Amino acid sequence: MDASPLWEQTPLLYSPKISETLGVDAYLKLENLHPSHSFKYRGLSLFAQRAIQTHGPNTHLIVASGGNAGLATACAAHALNLKCTVYLPTGAAQSTIESNRRLLQSRLERRYASHHLTKTSGSNPPPVPLIALETIGSDCFYHSLSLNAPRFNSTSTTPTLPPNVTPTTSTTENGETVSLAHFHQFSSKASGSLGASQPSARVVQVSLTRPGKIVSASVPDELSMQALTLFADDHKLLVELACSTTLTPAYKPAFFDKLVPLKSPEAKRTVVFIVCGGFKVSLSEAFEYASLVAADKALGGTWSVLMDDGSRFEVEK
């Protein structure tokens, strides 16, 4: 088989608007331009290609996902002419079902799992799969960056954590134990679109040991919604709400300075915003977000951002 990757080199574009707003050189890594509309096509298409090399052309891809991982797997299966089973959560949006169906058509086998691959509704459990995939959130892209550019400085923004989060521990393949936060349910629109119950232990372990600086912040939904609508206006691109969470500092200079402080008055900062994408967004949702933001702004006050040291940073609405 052709050893060249299925995924394309996505563009890194200079953003005049964000650069002017922040007083920096700002670039956008447009991972939303992959065939499945998100960065997840990179890893999952490569996984599929390697599966063929290991197991042959009769490889059967199986994924349990109601979002971007499932669609990326379906895209890869379509490109490689592989059999693929996508397990969708009970209550999956019709648009999600249709996006998968269009790719695989008669080759798409739909089952509905409430939580796990073996808990099917209305059908017998499948035989042990040749290839099984499990995805947790959207941390594999960061993991790749950490391994290939270990000294870059990183900031990450996430949806505000719900109150029902408990600590847990996990052991990496190196035998190291790391502490993780485990979600029992999601209380925000942005975190719900991620669908991850906890981060990858390996990614957390790499993050804690890499030499580059890392800053993390949790932002409210309304701040992400505002960034989504502003980004659509400025760059004519519509992205998933979880993705626009990364873009929140792009439109709030004080918040950006908190995350990436100036080392000296004459220092020049260069920043890359990773537009990770996501297909779970529509024009009607963007209008809904704009209305919610307008209503929240009318109440006055500020948006409160939770920093990784436990402090709060107030952002102007």
Side-chain angles (χ1 to χ4, degrees), residues 174-213:
N174 299 329
E176 299 183 39
T177 300
V178 293
S179 297
L180 305 171
H182 183 84
F183 290 71
H184 294 283
Q185 69 181 60
F186 299 105
S187 60
S188 78
K189 291 180 178 292
S191 63
S193 73
L194 286 173
S197 61
Q198 66 185 43
S200 161
R202 175 60 176 156
V203 172
V204 172
Q205 189 266 340
V206 169
S207 301
L208 294 174
T209 56
R210 60 182 296 278
K213 183 181 180 182

Side-chain angles (χ1 to χ4, degrees), residues 262-278:
L262 268 172
K263 294 182 178 179
S264 64
E266 65 278 2
K268 186 68 174 178
R269 293 172 292 181
T270 300
V271 60
V272 177
F273 289 93
I274 298 175
V275 184
C276 57

Side-chain angles (χ1 to χ4, degrees), residues 101-132:
R101 182 193 61 77
R102 292 188 193 101
L103 278 170
L104 299 180
Q105 299 179 17
S106 61
R107 286 182 287 131
L108 175 65
E109 298 177 25
R110 288 195 287 118
R111 304 286 188 270
Y112 296 87
S114 58
H115 293 291
H116 302 291
L117 194 63
T118 56
K119 289 187 178 179
T120 56
S121 174
S123 65
N124 294 323
V128 176
L130 177 60
I131 299 296

Side-chain angles (χ1 to χ4, degrees), residues 146-314:
S146 296
L147 294 178
N148 291 284
R151 293 190 178 275
F152 78 105
N153 291 324
S154 171
T155 64
S156 63
T157 53
T158 63
T160 297
L161 298 179
N164 48 355
V165 175
T166 57
T168 185
T169 59
S170 182
T171 304
T172 68
E173 66 268 27
N174 299 329
E176 299 183 39
T177 300
V178 293
S179 297
L180 305 171
H182 183 84
F183 290 71
H184 294 283
Q185 69 181 60
F186 299 105
S187 60
S188 78
K189 291 180 178 292
S191 63
S193 73
L194 286 173
S197 61
Q198 66 185 43
S200 161
R202 175 60 176 156
V203 172
V204 172
Q205 189 266 340
V206 169
S207 301
L208 294 174
T209 56
R210 60 182 296 278
K213 183 181 180 182
I214 299 174
V215 179
S216 181
S218 297
V219 303
D221 273 355
E222 291 78 12
L223 189 53
S224 300
M225 293 174 182
Q226 186 184 65
L228 184 151
T229 56
L230 291 173
F231 186 73
D233 284 342
D234 294 338
H235 298 87
K236 317 310 173 190
L237 295 170
L238 198 58
V239 297
E240 199 171 288
L241 189 59
C243 173
S244 67
T245 296
T246 302
L247 299 168
T248 54
Y251 295 98
K252 301 295 183 182
F255 182 30
F256 178 80
D257 290 340
K258 175 70 174 177
L259 295 173
V260 190
L262 268 172
K263 294 182 178 179
S264 64
E266 65 278 2
K268 186 68 174 178
R269 293 172 292 181
T270 300
V271 60
V272 177
F273 289 93
I274 298 175
V275 184
C276 57
F279 80 98
K280 297 170 72 173
V281 65
S282 65
L283 190 59
S284 61
E285 287 174 316
F287 280 118
E288 177 191 356
Y289 297 157
S291 297
L292 291 172
V293 170
D296 194 75
K297 288 182 67 175
L299 299 175
T302 58
W303 285 317
S304 185
V305 173
L306 176 63
M307 304 302 297
D308 53 9
D309 61 1
S311 65
R312 291 277 179 177
F313 184 77
E314 300 304 316

